[in-house]
Amino acid sequence: MHDDRSLVEARLKRVLDERIRPAVYSASVPLDVAVWNAPGEPVPVAEGLAAEPSPISVGTRWGAPWGTSWFRVTGTVPAEWAGRTVEAVLDLGFDENMPGFQCEGLVYRPDGTPVKGLNPRNQWVRIAAPAEGGEQVRLHIEAASNPVILDYHPFLPTPLGDRETAGTEPQYRLSRMDLAVFEEDVWQLVMDLEVLGELMEELPADSARRWEILRAVDRALDAVDLQDVPGTAAAARARLERVLATPAQPSAHRISAVGHAHIDSAWLWPLRETVRKVARTASNMTALLEDEPDFVFAMSQAQQWAWVKEHRPEVWAKVKKAVADGRFVPAGGMWVESDTNMPGSEAMARQFVHGKRFFLDEFGIENDEAWLPDTFGFAAGLPQIIRAAGSRRLLTQKISWSQTNRFPHHTFQWEGIDGTRIFTHFPPVDTYNCSMKGSEIAHAARNFKDKGVARHSLAPTGWGDGGGGTTREMVAKAARMRDLEGAATVVWETPREFFTKAEAEYENPPVWVGELYLELHRATLTSQARTKRGNRRSEHLLREAELWAATAAVRTGFPYPYERLDRIWKTVLLHQFHDILPGSSIAWVHREAERTYAAVAEELNALVDAAQRALAGDGSAELVFNSAPHARHGVAAGGAARPTGGGAAHLQPREGGGYVLDNGLLRVEIDGRGLVVSVYDIGAERETVPPGEAANLLQLHPDFPNMWDAWDVDEFYRNTVTDLVEADLVEQSGPEGAAGPEGAVEPGAAAVRIVRSFGASEVRQVLSLAPGAKRLDIDTEVDWHETEKFLKLAFPLDVHAERYASETQFGHFHRATHTNTSWEAAKFEACNHRFVHIGEPDWGVALVNDSTYGHDVTRTVRTTDSGTTTTLRTSLLRAPRFPDPETDQGVHRFRHALAPGATIGDAVREGYRVNLPERRVTGADAVVAPLVAVDDDAVVVTAVKLADDGSGDVVVRFHESRGGRARARLTAGFPLAGALATDLLERPGAEDRTLERTGDTVSLDLRPFELVTLRLTRG
């Protein structure tokens, strides 16, 4: 037989594109269209429906950037269409390659009932099946003219990312507004041919199955009359029945398809637009569920569900019904799909507390899984948080984006820093926007790394990022692949159904220990510094507000602000979404975030002040409130008292220029350039800075990654560096020389002020040594006006270390300082929370910070004496131009402290100190005793609050912080009637733990990094 494969395949493509697909709608008549453009921000549905529109014709441009236009379409079904299936085809000017990234619409009936969403891959609305001739049609479309930010030439700077700079030029051209006859047989033929054609392309050229499909397709095309496709589609389909009915091989890979629309809570659109994206998608999915009995849809992010409930009650009613039917499934159990690297311990816990509680309160549903397909890597502390929330599974996808190393598993146990293991699945389809293409399904089967011991994988199916969800085409294709020879089998299932099957077949999956590091998007640890500072500040203010409000409530009857704290927590958690906190959203998002964080700070500071004043009472004595989990200056952790002083710090000129700071613990030399050339640990007789090196060195790199400007920093940035060694000013400084209101020099400190200018920017620093402090405080203010540059602050250390520790949730994680393998080399930018610690067995150095996350650690060996130098650099600022062309321009403030001779315990303590400054309140000359006290500094309390159920119980969360065993005795500062270990949701029975209670003291043993939540009942 002659090889005519290429001929038939080319025939299939052309006939499908030019004849069969266009024949899906066989006849059409135009609708009458009118439009009303809402002024300013979106208006309520009732207002949009009631507005008086003006006529507009197809071909007319419409829609200023970020505008809302209400279209009214009216028409009459022609009499001759009686008995046919009629749909409205509503094309707002879509580009089918950009679902979720351009204009969108939500269709309403005149009474305000939502019908379905419109997007580039979903342009139809069913009118009648069968239709009655003469039927009147009237629909309203709330259309959003969201501009295209990520265009065909991606990553170009654009002013369209903020309404304030986007202008008013119309973005779209109205393309089609018709009533049309929908030809069911033709549409089904398209689905048949697409599935078979795509399957054929994936089969080996010498496969008998491929040739069988080829011949069947050829015969089917012979049956199509190209001048009467609707009249001959059924005959063509008949010739495909046999090849479509051939069952899959018993060994075929098995795919659980989960209807999905990963919707970024903000990204290339503002938060307010996501509210509408979710409503459009939910409307689409509830409509599809009504039409497709096998289809199942899962939606994560409790915040998005809450938006539908609050802003679109008419959509919420449909969603609730679909949830009750078990087919619209809450997934993930988190408030948002957050970043997991940067949120602090308590914030990461609250993501699950607020997310799971929403689904429990609204539907009585508790999720077993964390659902984070698009998050940019996963911190090593996350497994025990998931488990402590009552979940035990994780799904992610983004690891497939890693540039250097291929992750070795698709189904595995992920082990965190405390030893907790979570059953984890990483779908081999390698997308969270699966569209049921044959290439995607074949890739999932080929790519699956656990063949031979497992055969199930999951495919999140539907248009996401900007929303839209699953389409009827995806459902039709999945139906054909339910049992089809040559393809993986596809079945619609819930996440729980998938995980149950996967766990049952894979009893001993491999184990991955430590972080799931994404070898991409590393610059998200630095971009948009104000957003990151706002997050860090908010997390610590919430800690203070809960601690002092709970203490005041128990001691004075102060009204505990349950609702306010709940609302503020949800606001902070929302802004930890994986395109907000990482700094990868448009300017509008980060401008709003800065204002939101300022409002959060104002409200929380007022709350803290009110609670502390209630505790302090009346009087003129100055009390210092210590919110940190460690005693300092004679004030107990979580208590208040008059502080005790001690020691002195001295400053004197340095020979050769500069100054020497000395407080009896450290002697610091700052040369005439403002660089730190010596930090001598007097007690240990140990120098911190290597010979001939200088610390506090600002370094500037060019920063123009190959792609993903705000997200990425590529390793070649290191090839070029400018050391900023010239100083405009180096002088003795007093308290007024500090870098900002939160960076005041401590009383009695010796301080030096440094000013540097470079490019269009200026840096002002204050380096200070406080009495009795074994640390050098560094306050930095940068007036930043660079473009595509990366600013680092470097600390060469005379330390020999093959690994170092950086803080993560509820503990710390070790990374290598070397690059022995590609896995270590790929971690050239990594995340820390409050500290990084580098040490030898008997001596180490910590660098703590108040708002930075990105850092790098490298090591070299000196040629003179073979001594190892380990250089730690903290990342301060970047200046990418996409998606926000003005990223980070302006003034920024950072606080760091270098602590020579520090242990891990010292690093933990100093990290809290720099983030939780003492507060001074005038009151009675008395001591405010802590509400709870722990006798072991290794055990760190992360939250003290009243129970969320309003019972008045005190909830305390703590963990072992140093990576060792601990025996902790927690003493309540109130009569204790009972104590119970709970899960994060404060529910009893979640922990199999025996507590020893003697009076008001509870004793317990902790494993390394173990997280514990205790619920204390007051007597």
Side-chain angles (χ1 to χ4, degrees):
M1 182 180 292
H2 296 296
D3 186 351
D4 60 350
R5 179 169 52 86
S6 297
L7 188 68
V8 176
E9 291 173 354
R11 180 190 185 194
L12 172 61
K13 183 180 186 309
R14 185 174 186 193
V15 172
L16 256 179
D17 289 345
E18 297 184 21
R19 291 294 186 270
I20 301 179
R21 286 195 188 97
V24 168
Y25 292 110
S26 59
S28 63
V29 296
L31 289 159
D32 293 323
V33 188
V35 65
W36 175 74
N37 297 310
E41 287 295 280
V43 300
V45 173
E47 184 177 343
L49 294 174
E52 188 58 38
S54 302
I56 186 174
S57 58
V58 168
T60 302
R61 296 188 67 83
W62 70 278
W66 306 113
T68 301
S69 298
W70 283 84
F71 291 95
R72 184 187 67 196
V73 296
T74 56
T76 304
V77 177
E80 60 270 24
W81 292 1
R84 310 289 294 276
T85 298
V86 177
E87 293 184 347
V89 183
L90 307 171
D91 186 344
L92 300 173
F94 295 127
D95 178 341
E96 69 171 15
N97 295 316
M98 292 189 176
F101 291 91
Q102 55 165 212
C103 58
E104 301 171 39
L106 182 54
V107 179
Y108 293 90
R109 295 189 179 94
D111 65 358
T113 303
V115 181
K116 66 188 295 288
L118 296 177
N119 64 57
R121 294 297 181 102
N122 214 324
Q123 304 177 21
W124 59 275
V125 176
R126 180 64 56 88
I127 300 299
E132 298 178 6
E135 183 178 346
Q136 297 298 307
V137 176
R138 181 187 179 101
L139 297 171
H140 297 262
I141 308 166
E142 180 189 18
S145 50
N146 302 331
V148 175
I149 306 294
L150 191 65
D151 213 334
Y152 286 101
H153 187 165
F155 317 120
L156 289 180
T158 173
L160 293 172
D162 196 333
R163 187 159 195 161
E164 294 183 356
T165 59
T168 59
E169 184 70 22
Q171 299 292 292
Y172 299 100
R173 191 181 303 277
L174 205 60
S175 183
R176 184 178 182 185
M177 292 281 176
D178 289 347
L179 283 179
V181 174
F182 177 74
E183 298 289 354
E184 178 75 26
D185 279 340
V186 177
W187 185 82
Q188 295 288 0
L189 177 60
V190 171
M191 297 298 100
D192 291 344
L193 291 172
E194 284 189 0
V195 167
L196 291 171
E198 291 166 3
L199 173 58
M200 191 164 53
E201 290 178 4
E202 299 302 321
L203 294 171
D206 59 356
S207 160
R209 176 62 169 164
R210 179 164 182 162
W211 284 92
E212 181 184 41
I213 294 171
L214 186 83
R215 294 297 167 224
V217 166
D218 202 23
R219 290 192 300 271
L221 295 177
D222 288 342
V224 177
D225 182 344
L226 299 184
Q227 277 66 53
D228 184 17
V229 175
T232 55
R237 293 196 70 210
R239 297 188 178 188
L240 300 172
E241 287 179 356
R242 188 176 64 82
V243 290
L244 284 168
T246 307
Q249 297 172 349
S251 61
H253 185 67
R254 298 172 185 178
I255 292 177
S256 297
V258 179
H260 185 52
H262 166 70
I263 303 178
D264 288 311
S265 289
W267 180 27
L268 305 181
W269 45 85
L271 286 167
R272 67 88 155 143
E273 192 55 34
T274 313
V275 175
R276 303 199 296 176
K277 283 178 174 286
V278 175
R280 295 175 199 125
T281 300
S283 296
N284 265 348
M285 296 303 94
T286 52
L288 191 60
L289 288 167
E290 292 174 2
D291 295 339
E292 302 290 348
D294 294 331
F295 176 55
V296 175
F297 181 76
M299 190 167 88
S300 66
Q301 305 190 73
Q303 171 69 89
Q304 295 187 0
W305 292 71
W307 279 333
V308 176
K309 180 181 179 183
E310 178 183 357
H311 297 283
R312 288 291 194 268
E314 64 283 358
V315 178
W316 180 249
K318 291 189 173 187
V319 168
K320 284 188 69 175
K321 180 182 181 304
V323 172
D325 293 339
R327 299 178 60 212
F328 198 122
V329 182
M334 295 176 68
W335 190 246
V336 295
E337 289 181 12
S338 72
D339 180 80
T340 73
N341 286 311
M342 291 176 282
S345 303
E346 196 60 29
M348 201 73 251
R350 301 299 176 96
Q351 285 286 352
F352 288 91
V353 170
H354 286 281
K356 297 196 79 167
R357 187 167 287 145
F358 181 89
F359 293 139
L360 282 164
D361 290 348
E362 294 294 335
F363 308 115
I365 291 174
E366 181 161 9
N367 305 102
D368 285 341
E369 78 287 336
W371 184 275
L372 292 164
D374 190 33
T375 296
F376 309 152
F378 298 89
L382 188 58
Q384 84 162 319
I385 299 173
I386 295 172
R387 181 75 71 172
S391 297
R392 55 194 181 90
R393 298 156 167 171
L394 168 68
L395 178 134
T396 182
Q397 179 64 68
K398 200 71 169 189
I399 300 300
S400 66
W401 286 41
S402 284
Q403 289 179 316
T404 306
N405 298 286
R406 298 285 292 171
F407 196 76
H409 316 297
H410 281 109
T411 303
F412 58 100
Q413 292 277 8
W414 178 29
E415 182 178 316
I417 56 174
D418 75 313
T420 297
R421 292 181 177 180
I422 295 295
F423 188 81
T424 302
H425 183 63
F426 161 34
V429 72
D430 281 351
T431 177
Y432 49 80
N433 294 325
C434 177
S435 62
M436 285 293 142
K437 285 183 179 178
S439 57
E440 295 170 336
I441 301 306
H443 176 75
R446 284 194 300 264
N447 187 41
F448 188 55
K449 289 183 168 54
D450 302 292
K451 298 182 187 76
V453 289
R455 64 172 60 175
H456 281 86
S457 71
L458 185 146
T461 302
W463 299 115
D465 291 317
T470 318
T471 65
R472 62 182 177 185
E473 288 79 12
M474 297 174 194
V475 176
K477 291 176 130 182
R480 286 159 173 80
M481 289 184 284
R482 187 179 183 92
D483 192 11
L484 180 63
E485 184 186 356
T489 64
V490 178
V491 180
W492 293 105
E493 291 186 307
T494 65
R496 176 170 292 184
E497 289 170 333
F498 160 74
F499 273 110
T500 299
K501 289 181 179 179
E503 283 185 306
E505 74 174 357
Y506 208 177
E507 293 182 358
N508 295 296
V511 177
W512 182 268
V513 179
E515 66 183 335
L516 293 172
Y517 180 91
L518 177 63
E519 296 170 354
L520 193 74
H521 293 358
R522 303 168 181 89
T524 57
L525 301 173
T526 305
S527 296
Q528 298 287 0
R530 291 185 190 88
T531 299
K532 291 171 171 58
R533 183 174 185 82
N535 173 73
R536 180 77 70 83
R537 187 182 184 202
S538 297
E539 289 180 348
H540 288 86
L541 284 171
L542 277 161
R543 171 199 176 92
E544 291 188 86
E546 288 183 335
L547 168 65
W548 300 120
T551 305
V554 172
R555 297 276 166 72
T556 73
F558 181 82
Y560 192 79
Y562 292 100
E563 292 183 1
R564 289 173 68 188
L565 287 171
D566 180 79
R567 170 177 49 79
I568 295 170
W569 261 118
K570 288 173 178 174
T571 297
V572 173
L573 297 178
L574 166 59
H575 286 79
Q576 291 177 342
F577 178 75
H578 66 252
D579 276 308
I580 303 179
L581 179 54
S584 47
S585 289
I586 56 174
W588 190 342
V589 173
H590 293 289
R591 172 172 55 81
E592 284 191 337
E594 187 174 359
R595 294 175 182 173
T596 298
Y597 284 132
V600 163
E602 182 178 9
E603 186 171 3
L604 288 175
N605 276 317
L607 201 160
V608 169
D609 182 68
Q612 289 181 341
R613 290 189 181 282
L615 287 163
D618 297 327
S620 58
E622 183 182 68
L623 298 182
V624 170
F625 281 79
N626 175 21
S627 304
H630 310 95
R632 57 189 184 191
H633 295 163
V635 181
R642 288 196 175 193
T644 56
H650 306 282
L651 179 147
Q652 63 185 30
R654 174 179 176 270
E655 185 178 349
Y659 297 90
V660 177
L661 312 180
D662 193 323
N663 67 355
L665 300 174
L666 293 179
R667 184 170 66 248
V668 179
E669 293 188 34
I670 302 166
D671 70 8
R673 303 169 298 171
L675 301 179
V676 176
V677 293
S678 174
V679 182
Y680 189 72
D681 181 343
I682 296 172
E685 300 182 338
R686 176 75 182 255
E687 176 59 60
T688 306
V689 181
E693 300 279 354
N696 189 45
L697 174 64
L698 288 161
Q699 295 184 304
L700 192 66
H701 295 271
D703 184 18
F704 188 62
N706 290 344
M707 298 175 67
W708 300 107
D709 296 37
W711 296 256
D712 282 358
V713 56
D714 291 329
E715 192 172 15
F716 55 72
Y717 89 92
R718 291 179 169 180
N719 296 347
T720 306
V721 60
T722 300
D723 292 344
L724 304 179
V725 297
E726 299 299 324
D728 301 333
L729 179 69
V730 179
E731 66 178 8
Q732 181 176 347
S733 174
E736 73 283 351
E742 293 178 296
V745 172
E746 289 194 21
V752 173
R753 179 171 177 260
I754 304 152
V755 179
R756 305 183 194 280
S757 57
F758 59 95
S761 304
E762 184 178 75
V763 177
R764 295 174 289 274
Q765 287 186 306
V766 174
L767 276 57
S768 61
L769 186 62
K774 200 174 178 182
R775 66 176 186 272
L776 175 66
D777 288 318
I778 304 165
D779 291 356
T780 304
E781 180 180 272
V782 186
D783 190 1
W784 179 248
H785 297 282
E786 304 307 300
T787 298
E788 294 167 350
K789 295 289 192 295
F790 196 4
L791 184 64
K792 293 259 188 176
L793 183 59
F795 296 88
L797 306 172
D798 199 7
V799 175
H800 179 99
E802 293 182 0
R803 67 175 192 169
Y804 71 96
S806 58
E807 188 183 34
T808 188
Q809 292 98 2
F810 299 110
H812 59 266
F813 178 68
H814 287 101
R815 298 186 183 93
T817 61
H818 59 75
T819 55
N820 280 359
T821 73
S822 59
W823 293 89
E824 284 105 13
K827 296 183 180 182
F828 59 81
E829 186 80 3
C831 184
N832 63 272
H833 285 188
R834 285 168 292 233
F835 72 80
V836 173
H837 180 271
I838 301 173
E840 296 172 2
D842 58 350
W843 193 85
V845 182
L847 182 70
V848 301
N849 72 85
D850 76 335
S851 61
T852 56
Y853 296 91
H855 69 274
D856 68 81
V857 176
T858 55
R859 63 198 298 272
T860 58
V861 176
R862 297 191 292 271
T863 57
T864 54
D865 61 359
S866 299
T868 303
T869 297
T870 305
T871 299
L872 165 61
R873 301 195 307 164
T874 185
S875 304
L876 299 184
L877 290 165
R878 299 183 69 236
R881 300 188 65 211
F882 181 89
D884 176 5
E886 298 296 321
T887 301
D888 280 334
Q889 300 300 295
V891 176
H892 302 269
R893 292 184 172 89
F894 308 96
R895 295 189 71 199
H896 293 84
L898 185 70
T903 63
I904 286 287
D906 296 328
V908 173
R909 182 182 298 104
E910 291 298 329
Y912 273 104
R913 179 198 62 81
V914 78
N915 283 275
L916 287 167
E918 298 165 344
R919 292 177 183 260
R920 286 171 164 75
V921 177
T922 301
D925 190 6
V927 172
V928 178
L931 195 59
V932 294
V934 180
D935 70 339
D936 187 342
D937 265 3
V939 178
V940 169
V941 175
T942 62
V944 177
K945 59 190 286 293
L946 295 192
D948 291 342
D949 62 7
S951 63
D953 289 354
V954 175
V955 172
V956 186
R957 190 147 32 247
F958 52 92
H959 70 286
E960 196 288 318
S961 66
R962 300 177 185 174
R965 305 271 173 170
R967 173 72 173 173
R969 281 174 289 276
L970 182 146
T971 301
F974 52 87
L976 185 62
L980 187 68
T982 73
D983 68 1
L984 293 180
L985 276 69
E986 303 166 11
R987 299 176 297 191
E991 282 281 347
D992 183 17
R993 173 188 290 281
T994 301
L995 302 176
E996 300 175 19
R997 185 163 72 88
T998 304
D1000 298 332
T1001 298
V1002 177
S1003 301
L1004 67 163
D1005 296 316
L1006 281 81
R1007 303 185 310 273
F1009 300 128
E1010 184 178 6
L1011 161 65
V1012 177
T1013 303
L1014 292 186
R1015 184 170 181 140
L1016 308 177
T1017 302
R1018 293 150 59 189

